[in-house]
Amino acid sequence: MKHYDLVIVGSGPAGFSAAVRGVDFGMNVCLIEGGHLGGAGIMHGALTSKTMYELSLDYSIAARVDRGYRAGALTVDYHQVRNTVIQAAKEKQYQMRSQIETFARTKHQKGGITLMQGWASFINDRSMRVETREGEEVVSGTNFLIATGSKPREYPGLEPDGVRIIDSNGILSLQQFPERILIIGSGIIGCEFATIFSNFKQTEVHLLDRANRVLPYEDDDVSDYVADNLTGNGVTIHHTAQLRTIRKHPDFLEVILDYADGHSKVLEVDVALISIGRVSTIEALKPENAGLVPTERGTLTINDSCQVLKNGKPTHIYAAGDVSGHSQLYSVAELQGRKAVEKMVGKAGYPLDYSHMSTLMFFKPEVAAVGANEKMLQKKGIAYKAAYYSNKLINRAIAMRSTVGFIKILVSNDDNQRILGMRASGPQASAYIVSVAHLINQGDSLREVLKIFYPHPSVAEGIQECLRTIGERSIYKPQAFPDDIYIRAWKPEE
């Protein structure tokens, strides 16, 4: 039996960042991975889907004819797109592998990483069995980190076959652009794939929305904005529709949808993509052998230092990423992995704050979010002011000929006027959302932020004007541009 200071199951953003942080502290680390190195963060997930998104966006820009130039004989080949996506994933995997090999245990006296390819399961709370290609190995550890990630949620009665019915893991199994696709689920992942396929203009895209608007957890104006852009990009959104059945025929799928108003519709598509979220994967680990009891959602309960709780008490077993039950974000997994290792060596530092996480939604154009939205604040009974400022009035966006987008900021409706949240869309929204996250974390007020000089011309000037709108001091006024600028206030008694 080989003993390690730290045994990690899963090489995704949580597991890999934890392994490297372990080396920082001189730990001997065993990193166990049964599938692709990097997990869903690299293959069949964030990196591959975003690579495909960027390629689709490049294609849609090349196809535009309103900028004074026109591309001739523009074509796209799915095989080439697929190869480029896989190449991007392998590029990152080899970067990870290069670092692992650099810090292999045989090369360093103090600390190192041993990569073990295989499927792990607990024997007890101090040892694991690993099924490798060469046979079975047993490893023990002083500490353990569970970072097994998640898998696509199954749709009851609809089994993916990898050809006609697929989930997000099956995108790269497609051999060509489908002529018609039904995307089941209108959350972030579903809307992102609807954007990708509609950008390439090779596929008739249908998006199934069980609610009356996409992204139902977002404010109505943001949801409507995303839906309008999808529709404008050629996506047919089926609001308030339930999937009754899908019948397989030799050359197509017959889809029956039932709508809330009582009518039904029959569609013919070539591929159905199931996109209804993800669920954690922990069953194969046999957590019961280590005395761990997952929640009903299949996640593990952790404390602020990512230690798994057993009978309410912290243990030497840690969990990070999707299996922890927190937001399923790459950034969350990465920070949790690092935090867990720091706790192991007695350098826990500050607790993680999950309240002001920045998120990106890869639509056309992209949407960025941080902090609270109106629905959240109303649910908590927090008074606020909301200001909306269109990119149509921002000089840099005008110069870029990319004025579809907005900045929306929420501040507390009191004398302090603290910044509580922001939603933004358009070019570079992903770049400046982090600056607002810092302002929220620091508890900065509207008064303090407006002291800053913003560079010109920049898209971020929209933040300045949006904040000025709240203080009724903006250069462009809502009275002159009622469709592009607005401000509203809400208090609990209202």
Side-chain angles (χ1 to χ4, degrees), residues 23-67:
V23 172
D24 290 341
F25 294 115
M27 302 174 78
N28 282 324
V29 180
C30 178
L31 180 61
I32 305 171
E33 174 58 60
H36 295 281
L37 183 63
I42 305 301
M43 189 67 73
H44 303 310
L47 184 58
T48 49
S49 66
K50 284 11 171 219
T51 303
M52 186 173 284
Y53 165 82
E54 294 293 346
L55 295 175
S56 77
L57 200 61
D58 288 347
Y59 181 87
S60 69
I61 292 172
R64 291 181 63 169
V65 295
D66 62 342
R67 295 190 169 195

Side-chain angles (χ1 to χ4, degrees), residues 391-400 456-458 461 476:
N391 285 2
K392 293 177 182 178
L393 300 169
I394 300 174
N395 287 11
R396 181 62 181 274
I398 293 172
M400 297 172 74
H456 176 81
S458 68
E461 284 180 287
Y476 290 92

